[in-house]
């Protein structure tokens, strides 16, 4: 009933998102240096099907196809990321800059603008230059990392001047930190689990690395505001991942409380310092000295978001754990489950073990963020789903499959309800993803997008039903001027 009344404001921006390493390929071309993902993919057993981003969607050579695809979908914007090691192949502030790398992205942005498409650019989507990992341990060395990231950010912000109005410093720092330095399932693969990696300490490194990323974000925002924002008039933020949490046993107060803990450990870890100028109490309590924060660093990041960048996919049931947390715990001493106490699933099964759609959770999380951070402007920078067995469907069925269309209908509808009914200031939405691509540790087996990519035949792009559907969903919801 409710959703029929809901709408979105007339200036609402929508489109699709991608990331450099997941789509570009051309890893050795025109001076690009290797990133930690190039290295990680070469380690046997890390990526499904021993895949890598070596070719991916070959977008480096097919920018015109991608722009044509965006136009065919009627998309007024496009979120993509820049590969740091194309711009500064070795990564560091005293290393050479690769003009060819800059030219590639400049031309792409010019072509987008010429096609009437608004670019939204992510500076960092997980592909750290390999040399920086080798030189000083990458994110682990705060002083070096912050200085090098600030330099890279300045080079890019300067080159793109007024062409780009929407900037994202880091995509999902939680993933680089937890998956990269606690579970070890993502590059650089550090963990306490010695069956996975001979190096790493999952009890201390995540908190050190989290601090580096937050401060690097603050440093880049300071540069943007002091040197570019005045004349360019754009906006900058960090994008945080965060899914909704429901209690495993709604009658158990410990499970109810654990839901907030889960969200605070995932989101407020970063968003509290940015919006409230301090870390969440629950994290300070559990982590004590392990959670580094100087007053100076907190002051740098406090107030550093022009908008809240929100990546959101699904929800989990949460069960509180009893007893003291493990030293390597990063969740707030709780379990993430897909079924509740009665065996009821939070949503339908998809191809991704972690993802079961639960659209009402999107609306409630939008409201939760809006309340906690005093009504920030929110841009949803990713939302989407995989489909169980999609890769094995015959092409005609795959293209026509309803599951992803329904996902977008439900999720975009929930967002419109949050705007209309709950007064949440949500102003943009980017679907993940424009085209099937390198799905990190899951390789190419999991497809996540509105466009089928034929990896065997010249990376041909064939729009699925959902490619058109999203435009129609927004058309029906966005108020006419
Ligand atoms: C996004 O992350 C990424 O930004 C994008 O590059 C990616 O392609 C897309 O999702 C689809 O995966 O291993 O059980 O601890 C999504 C957020 C958060 C989803 C961490 C997977 C791991 C759950 N991710 N989560 S688990």
């Amino acid at each position: 009933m409710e959703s029929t009344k809901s709408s979105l404001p007339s200036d609402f921006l929508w489109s699709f998102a991608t990331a450099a390493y997941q789509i570009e390929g051309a890893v050795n071309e025109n001076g690009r240096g290797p990133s930690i993902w190039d290295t990680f993919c070469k380690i046997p057993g890390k990526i499904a099907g021993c895949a890598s981003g070596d070719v991916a969607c070959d977008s480096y050579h097919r920018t015109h196809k991608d722009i044509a695809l965006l136009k065919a979908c009627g998309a007024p914007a496009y979120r993509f990321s820049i590969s740091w090691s194309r711009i500064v192949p070795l990564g560091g502030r005293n290393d050479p800059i690769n003009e060819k790398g800059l030219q590639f992205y400049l031309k792409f942005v010019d072509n987008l603008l010429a096609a009437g498409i608004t670019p939204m650019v992510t500076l960092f989507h997980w592909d750290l230059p390999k040399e920086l990992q080798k030189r000083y341990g990458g994110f682990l060395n705060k002083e070096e990392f912050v200085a090098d990231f600030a330099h890279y950010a300045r080079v890019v912000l300067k080159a793109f001047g007024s062409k780009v109005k929407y900037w994202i410093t880091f995509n999902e720092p939680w993933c680089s930190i937890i998956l990269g330095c606690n579970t070890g399932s993502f590059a650089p693969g550090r963990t306490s689990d010695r069956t996975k990696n001979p190096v790493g300490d999952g009890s201390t490194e995540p908190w050190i690395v989290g601090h580096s990323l937050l401060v690097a974000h603050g440093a880049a925002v300071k540069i943007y505001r002091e040197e570019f924002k005045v004349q360019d008039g754009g906006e900058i933020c960090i994008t945080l991942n965060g899914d909704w949490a429901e209690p495993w046993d709604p009658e158990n107060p410990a499970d109810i409380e654990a839901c907030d803990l889960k969200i605070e450990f995932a989101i407020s870890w970063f968003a509290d310092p940015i919006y409230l100028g301090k870390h969440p109490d629950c994290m300070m309590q559990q982590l004590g000295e392990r959670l580094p924060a100087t007053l100076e660093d907190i002051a740098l990041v406090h107030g550093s978001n022009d908008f809240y960048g929100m990546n959101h996919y699904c929800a989990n049931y949460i069960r509180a754990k009893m007893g003291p947390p493990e030293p390597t715990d990063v969740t707030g001493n709780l379990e993430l489950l897909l079924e509740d106490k009665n065996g009821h699933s939070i949503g339908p099964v998809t191809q991704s073990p972690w993802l079961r759609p639960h659209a009402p959770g999107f609306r409630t999380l939008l409201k939760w963020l809006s309340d906690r951070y005093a009504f920030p402007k929110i841009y949803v920078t990713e939302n989407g789903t995989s489909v169980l067995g999609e890769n094995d469907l015959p092409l005609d069925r795959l293209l026509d499959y309803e599951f992803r269309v329904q996902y977008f209908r439900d999720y975009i509808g929930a967002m419109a309800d949050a705007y209309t009914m709950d007064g949440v200031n949500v102003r943009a939405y980017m679907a993940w993803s424009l085209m099937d691509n390198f799905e990190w540790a899951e390789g190419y087996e999991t497809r996540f997008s509105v466009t089928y990519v034929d990896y065997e035949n010249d990376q041909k792009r064939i729009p699925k039903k959902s490619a058109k559907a999203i435009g129609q969903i927004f058309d029906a919801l966005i108020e006419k001027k």
Side-chain angles (χ1 to χ4, degrees):
M1 260 316 265
E2 279 195 329
S3 57
T4 51
K5 286 184 287 173
S6 289
S7 63
L8 292 165
S10 61
D11 59 353
F12 193 91
L13 196 66
W14 66 271
S15 188
F16 303 92
T18 60
Y21 190 70
Q22 293 181 273
I23 65 162
E24 285 180 357
V27 290
N28 294 316
E29 262 171 80
N30 286 326
R32 177 187 179 274
S35 81
I36 55 173
W37 271 93
D38 295 88
T39 326
F40 192 68
C41 290
K42 294 202 176 78
I43 306 172
K46 298 295 182 199
I47 313 290
C50 302
S52 77
D54 282 359
V55 180
C57 308
D58 197 32
S59 280
Y60 187 79
H61 299 117
R62 281 157 219 268
T63 49
H64 55 290
K65 296 247 165 149
D66 293 350
I67 292 174
L69 189 58
L70 287 160
K71 286 183 85 168
C73 298
Y78 181 43
R79 174 181 176 230
F80 64 96
S81 85
I82 289 183
S83 151
W84 182 344
S85 62
R86 279 196 202 282
I87 310 291
V88 192
L90 297 174
R93 56 201 182 280
N94 300 313
D95 296 320
I97 289 172
N98 178 28
E99 269 307 314
K100 284 185 180 157
L102 272 176
Q103 286 313 319
F104 166 74
Y105 291 110
L106 277 169
K107 192 159 170 249
F108 181 53
V109 164
D110 283 341
N111 290 342
L112 282 172
L113 293 171
I117 297 168
T118 302
M120 179 182 283
V121 180
T122 312
L123 290 170
F124 185 86
H125 199 122
W126 308 350
D127 44 359
L128 180 75
K130 174 192 165 187
E131 174 64 20
L132 302 186
Q133 187 69 35
K134 195 171 133 225
R135 224 178 249 174
Y136 55 73
F139 315 130
L140 277 168
N141 187 326
K142 187 190 98 176
E143 304 303 322
E144 291 292 331
F145 176 74
V146 170
D148 286 346
F149 182 75
H151 169 261
Y152 157 66
R154 182 182 274 114
V155 169
V156 173
L157 294 169
K158 186 172 178 194
F160 288 84
S162 55
K163 293 176 199 231
V164 175
K165 301 281 186 209
Y166 301 101
W167 292 101
I168 293 161
T169 53
F170 290 93
N171 179 73
E172 303 187 346
W174 186 95
C175 290
S176 300
I177 301 162
I178 303 302
L179 306 180
C181 304
N182 176 265
T183 68
S185 47
F186 277 15
R190 298 178 68 90
T191 175
S192 292
D193 181 349
R194 292 288 163 263
T195 64
K196 283 196 190 158
N197 195 325
V199 289
D201 180 347
S203 70
T204 55
E205 290 181 9
W207 317 112
I208 297 169
V209 163
H211 187 56
S212 303
L213 292 178
L214 200 52
V215 174
H217 155 77
V221 171
K222 186 168 190 283
I223 289 170
Y224 186 61
R225 289 185 179 162
E226 286 177 359
E227 300 172 32
F228 306 106
K229 192 179 157 92
V230 180
Q231 65 266 31
D232 299 342
E235 303 177 346
I236 190 163
C237 84
I238 192 167
T239 272
L240 305 175
N241 55 295
D243 296 323
W244 181 244
E246 288 286 338
W248 180 75
D249 176 359
E251 265 142 44
N252 183 351
D255 287 359
I256 295 170
E257 197 190 323
C259 289
D260 265 332
L261 280 183
K262 186 294 173 166
I263 298 174
E264 289 177 357
F265 266 75
I267 293 176
S268 309
W269 178 8
F270 311 97
D272 274 17
I274 291 172
Y275 286 96
L276 309 178
K278 65 181 209 43
H279 278 116
D281 292 339
C282 62
M283 293 187 76
M284 293 196 282
Q285 258 166 35
Q286 181 174 321
L287 301 164
E289 300 264 284
R290 283 186 285 156
L291 193 66
T294 66
L295 286 175
E296 193 190 347
D297 289 342
I298 294 283
L300 177 72
V301 302
H302 190 193
S304 61
N305 256 5
D306 292 334
F307 58 94
Y308 182 100
M310 176 184 190
N311 285 1
H312 178 83
Y313 286 85
C314 55
N316 285 105
Y317 286 116
I318 304 299
R319 181 160 57 177
K321 278 191 188 166
M322 294 304 140
E326 301 275 328
T328 53
D329 176 66
V330 293
T331 61
N333 206 23
L334 50 89
E335 282 176 277
L336 267 65
L337 300 164
L338 300 164
E339 291 175 0
D340 71 5
K341 194 183 171 191
N342 301 316
H344 174 77
S345 175
I346 191 94
V349 179
T350 68
Q351 186 63 26
S352 313
W354 53 272
L355 197 170
R356 294 199 185 173
H358 180 77
F362 191 20
R363 177 174 170 183
T364 27
L365 183 58
L366 281 159
K367 178 79 168 97
W368 190 97
L369 293 170
S370 191
D371 288 346
R372 188 174 181 104
Y373 300 120
F375 192 61
K377 178 159 70 177
I378 298 177
Y379 295 171
V380 177
T381 43
E382 283 178 30
N383 174 243
T385 191
S386 59
V387 175
L388 183 66
E390 183 174 15
N391 203 27
D392 302 322
L393 289 173
L395 186 59
D396 55 340
R397 282 210 63 211
L398 183 156
L399 295 175
D400 206 39
Y401 217 65
E402 189 59 25
F403 187 87
R404 185 174 282 108
V405 176
Q406 191 59 44
Y407 177 95
F408 285 125
R409 226 180 264 133
D410 293 345
Y411 269 79
I412 295 168
M415 175 177 69
D417 288 347
Y419 175 80
T420 310
M421 245 77 79
D422 306 333
V424 174
N425 191 21
V426 56
R427 294 284 162 163
Y429 173 98
M430 305 287 141
W432 187 270
S433 173
L434 176 63
M435 60 196 138
D436 293 342
N437 57 47
F438 176 70
E439 179 50 16
W440 308 109
E442 290 177 45
Y444 295 95
E445 287 171 19
T446 305
R447 296 179 177 270
F448 236 106
S449 84
V450 302
T451 307
Y452 177 80
V453 175
D454 189 344
Y455 299 110
E456 256 87 70
N457 287 297
D458 220 22
Q459 327 310 108
K460 192 165 187 268
R461 288 111 162 92
I462 310 172
K464 305 175 195 174
K465 194 174 185 179
S466 44
K468 276 247 158 40
I470 291 192
Q472 292 163 353
I473 296 167
F474 278 107
D475 201 42
L477 286 170
I478 293 176
E479 291 156 8
K480 305 287 173 288
K481 278 202 183 111

